[in-house]
Amino acid sequence: MAATTDAAPGNRLDRRKARTRAALIRAAQSFIAEGKLNVPILEITQAADIGLGSFYNHFESREQLFQVAVEDAVEVHADLLDHVTADIDDPAVVFAHSFRLTGRLHRLEPALSKVVLNSGLSLLGADMGLAPRARRDIARAVKAGRFTVQDLDLTMAVIVGAALSLGQLLHDQPERDDATATDQITEDLLRMLGLTAAQARKICSLPLPELDAVVPGGPA
Amino acid sequence: MAATTDAAPGNRLDRRKARTRAALIRAAQSFIAEGKLNVPILEITQAADIGLGSFYNHFESREQLFQVAVEDAVEVHADLLDHVTADIDDPAVVFAHSFRLTGRLHRLEPALSKVVLNSGLSLLGADMGLAPRARRDIARAVKAGRFTVQDLDLTMAVIVGAALSLGQLLHDQPERDDATATDQITEDLLRMLGLTAAQARKICSLPLPELDAVVPGGPA
């Protein structure tokens, strides 16, 4: 579950600390969504309606807060993906839907996307966020006989690399249609995962469910 | 052609300047190969056997020299790939050989590899080095009816992303066999490019030509 929606812990002090931390994370996500990555800590605490001194009870620096805020936003997106794909039986479609919906985030949340891309290849070993969910979906599809994978670590390296490259390409080529590009790369990856060209094309032309906003202040 | 082997320009002063520049690049490549990325400029000029002051006639900073040194080393590698694949008729095999030989560089030239990985996704739009050659090989294979590609830009995004992820994985998992991992990812990419699983496997088990050292001071 995402940090901003964490159930509050036991006693009153703990609950207040959790609320303050969540307010800082939400404020940071709003500034990130607006592309204001250089915002002073004072402005963040004012937006969160807390004292400047309280900041350092929760985070060592703006960079640390922003890191947590991005991880939280990615977790929220990942939870949304789980939610909108919960009723889909074919794990190959779950993977494809998730990749297609995630590719569309780069334009919907450009500042968040750029922060994620700056983290770059370190995401490869991340134990939270989207990579573990993609790994889970691919493993399920292998088990169901839908995908053929020799070495899941290596497959994940290609998937994560492709996801990052796609984001970079969409920023580098602003005139390019993001939905078409994302669906084409998903289709290419599905062939790599063992589907035929016709199967891959069909899955990537299925209608997608709607996603709600990933960060407060971002588009609905 | 690579900078260190550039034909000397016309007059004597120009030739001397080109020699000094090449000596600095060679010295930088040796330090990079040894992993000495923090070497002082004075040590670089001493290794190149030139005066400290001359450095700034050629480069603004150590970072700029190292950037040029890495690009030069990558160009040398790319030229070697062209050389050892020159007699191969099947462009699908040329692409596969090049990817397999490049994946093996991360362990052979770990410091060079890490510098390249730090440049990361900016390589996507690079107009020199390995990406344009991979694009050329893939385009040839498409023209020859070997590969099926809908959008070469998007295919290249996956290829570059996979190449970077592979390098990161080989550094993160030092116990992993680099040749096996590289060949498996190449095989996966060949399926994405339209080959059957059997064709992809066969191409990736072909014996590879030997490569000479990419940077002076690196392993032969």
Side-chain angles (χ1 to χ4, degrees):
Chain A
M1 195 178 284
T4 48
T5 55
D6 263 345
N11 71 51
R12 208 158 64 98
L13 181 63
D14 284 347
R15 284 200 299 273
R16 202 176 64 192
K17 280 176 74 171
R19 275 200 306 272
T20 303
R21 183 182 157 90
L24 283 169
I25 291 173
R26 274 198 306 273
Q29 288 172 337
S30 295
F31 285 116
I32 292 171
E34 295 166 28
K36 294 181 181 165
L37 300 181
N38 289 319
V39 60
I41 289 177
L42 179 63
E43 274 191 52
I44 300 173
T45 54
Q46 284 170 343
D49 198 20
I50 66 162
L52 176 60
S54 299
F55 179 90
Y56 295 98
N57 294 333
H58 295 274
F59 299 101
E60 285 173 16
S61 62
R62 184 184 60 196
E63 287 61 41
Q64 200 206 352
L65 167 61
F66 275 24
Q67 174 77 21
V68 171
V70 167
E71 286 170 3
D72 180 80
V74 170
E75 280 294 303
V76 170
H77 173 67
D79 287 343
L80 285 175
L81 291 179
D82 279 353
H83 180 68
V84 298
T85 58
D87 294 334
I88 299 173
D89 288 330
D90 182 354
V93 175
V94 173
F95 169 78
H97 272 21
S98 301
F99 199 94
R100 292 169 68 202
L101 287 167
T102 302
R104 284 157 169 81
L105 273 190
H106 298 289
R107 292 271 172 78
L108 288 173
E109 306 278 4
L112 172 66
S113 158
K114 281 175 188 171
V115 177
V116 171
L117 294 180
N118 278 342
S119 310
L121 296 172
S122 65
L123 295 173
L124 207 55
D127 58 359
M128 58 184 291
L130 295 169
R133 282 177 166 81
R135 175 185 282 269
R136 177 202 64 192
D137 295 338
I138 293 171
R140 282 184 188 157
V142 169
K143 206 172 169 194
R146 294 286 283 151
F147 288 168
T148 306
V149 166
Q150 297 297 325
D151 183 319
L152 189 48
D153 275 0
L154 298 177
T155 299
M156 282 306 302
V158 179
I159 302 288
V160 171
L164 294 171
S165 286
L166 168 62
Q168 189 66 44
L169 185 91
L170 291 176
H171 292 306
D172 291 347
Q173 302 184 1
E175 74 291 351
R176 191 184 261 280
D177 184 77
D178 60 333
T180 308
T182 300
D183 292 349
Q184 182 62 56
I185 284 193
T186 312
E187 191 183 317
D188 293 347
L189 293 174
L190 290 179
R191 282 200 311 280
M192 180 185 83
L193 291 162
L195 297 195
T196 66
Q199 290 167 331
R201 171 148 303 184
K202 189 177 168 194
I203 285 182
C204 291
S205 58
L206 291 175
L208 284 172
E210 296 270 333
L211 273 194
D212 290 328
V214 175
V215 297
Chain B
M1 193 179 283
T4 48
T5 54
D6 265 344
N11 70 51
R12 207 158 65 98
L13 181 62
D14 285 346
R15 284 199 299 275
R16 201 175 64 191
K17 280 175 75 172
R19 275 200 305 273
T20 303
R21 182 182 158 90
L24 283 167
I25 290 172
R26 274 197 306 273
Q29 288 172 336
S30 294
F31 285 115
I32 292 171
E34 294 167 28
K36 294 180 181 166
L37 301 181
N38 289 318
V39 61
I41 289 177
L42 179 63
E43 274 191 53
I44 300 172
T45 55
Q46 284 170 343
D49 201 18
I50 65 162
L52 176 61
S54 299
F55 179 90
Y56 294 97
N57 295 334
H58 296 274
F59 299 100
E60 285 172 16
S61 62
R62 183 184 61 195
E63 286 62 39
Q64 199 205 354
L65 166 61
F66 275 24
Q67 174 77 22
V68 171
V70 167
E71 287 170 3
D72 179 81
V74 170
E75 279 295 303
V76 170
H77 172 66
D79 287 342
L80 285 174
L81 290 180
D82 279 353
H83 179 69
V84 298
T85 58
D87 294 333
I88 298 174
D89 289 328
D90 182 354
V93 175
V94 173
F95 168 78
H97 272 22
S98 299
F99 200 94
R100 293 168 68 201
L101 287 166
T102 301
R104 285 158 167 80
L105 273 190
H106 298 288
R107 292 272 172 78
L108 288 172
E109 306 278 2
L112 172 66
S113 158
K114 282 174 187 171
V115 177
V116 170
L117 293 180
N118 279 340
S119 311
L121 296 171
S122 65
L123 294 173
L124 207 55
D127 59 358
M128 58 183 291
L130 295 169
R133 281 178 167 82
R135 175 184 282 271
R136 176 202 65 193
D137 294 337
I138 293 171
R140 281 183 189 159
V142 169
K143 205 172 170 194
R146 294 285 283 151
F147 288 167
T148 307
V149 167
Q150 297 298 326
D151 183 319
L152 189 48
D153 274 0
L154 299 177
T155 299
M156 283 305 303
V158 179
I159 302 288
V160 171
L164 294 171
S165 285
L166 169 62
Q168 189 65 43
L169 185 92
L170 291 175
H171 292 305
D172 291 345
Q173 302 185 358
E175 75 290 353
R176 192 184 259 281
D177 184 76
D178 61 333
T180 308
T182 301
D183 293 349
Q184 182 62 56
I185 283 193
T186 312
E187 192 183 317
D188 292 347
L189 293 174
L190 290 178
R191 282 200 312 280
M192 181 184 81
L193 290 163
L195 297 194
T196 67
Q199 289 168 331
R201 171 149 302 183
K202 188 176 168 194
I203 284 182
C204 291
S205 58
L206 291 174
L208 285 171
E210 296 270 334
L211 275 193
D212 289 330
V214 176
V215 298

